Structure formats: C-alpha cells, structure tokens
Amino acid sequence: MRALLQPQAEDFDLAAVLHALGDPVRLELLRRLAADGETTCSPEGMAVPRSTLSNHWRILREAGVTATRVHGKTRLVTLRRDELDARFPHLLGAVLGEFAHPAPAAPAPGPAASAPAASAPAGPA
C-alpha cells in the first residue's frame, strides 16, 4: 500500500484548506468528524457513492484538515483540530458555526424625510 500524503502542520496552505472546506459534502464530513470523532471512510447516512467519498476524503487529507490511519483493511479518519487551530486560529470554529451569533439587527430606518406641510390659508385675509 502506498503512503498517504498528509502535510505537516507548518505546511498547511490556507487556500487549500479553504478549498477543502468549500464543498457541501466535505463540510458535512467535517461536521460529523467534529461531533463524533474518528470515523471510517464510509460513514453511515451519506447518500454519496463510495468513490466520490474517497475523493472528498483525499482532498480533506491532502489539505491537512484530516488525518487518515490504516488499521487492517479499514481507513480511519480524524480531524486535525489542534493543528488547524494552531495554524489558523478560529477558522474551524467559524466554519462549524461554533461562534455563530445572530447577526446584529440592521438599524431601524430613521424617520422618513417629510416634506414640509403646506400650510392652509388661515382664513380670509
């Protein structure tokens, strides 16, 4: 079996990490890893072909977002949270919505600029 490309933390590239996090399927895989911890490369409940999942896992691994270890015939995937947080502080928290706060409400519009009221004639002059 050939060795899996897994960059060292100091070699993480922000553009590659953002690309890896920019796909909805990979983002769901990331959320599951963050919630459940280590998983196999074929998690339950994903309506994606195994070949497609394999490609998504490769992109995440090669960007440094995940680490994969081989255990017998099984590949186990983990999130490299500590290394990513050290290299790009708060990135994963922001992507995972851990720091999500409701957006501040837009300021209420000020009073409408009203045209000066036309004064009615006060009566006979």
Side-chain angles (χ1 to χ4, degrees):
M1 178 181 282
R2 66 187 159 115
L4 301 173
L5 173 64
Q6 300 187 85
Q8 297 297 316
E10 61 271 8
D11 296 328
F12 290 171
D13 176 62
L14 181 59
V17 171
L18 291 174
H19 169 73
L21 300 177
D23 180 271
V25 172
R26 292 192 292 269
L27 193 53
E28 177 60 23
L29 292 170
L30 180 69
R31 285 186 182 115
R32 288 176 180 222
L33 277 175
D36 302 336
E38 190 172 64
T39 186
T40 64
C41 58
S42 295
E44 292 183 27
M46 295 292 295
V48 179
R50 286 185 70 172
S51 60
T52 303
L53 275 177
S54 178
N55 185 55
H56 286 304
W57 286 124
R58 179 189 58 79
I59 291 168
L60 288 166
R61 179 179 38 80
E62 289 179 356
V65 176
T66 63
T68 303
R69 69 182 179 93
V70 178
H71 182 72
K73 293 183 179 182
T74 305
R75 289 185 180 200
L76 299 169
V77 182
T78 56
L79 179 59
R80 295 176 73 177
R81 176 116 202 191
D82 293 340
E83 294 161 294
L84 282 165
D85 284 344
R87 181 85 164 116
F88 307 115
H90 307 295
L91 175 64
L92 282 180
V95 169
L96 295 171
E98 294 171 356
F99 302 112
H101 297 287
S114 58
S119 54

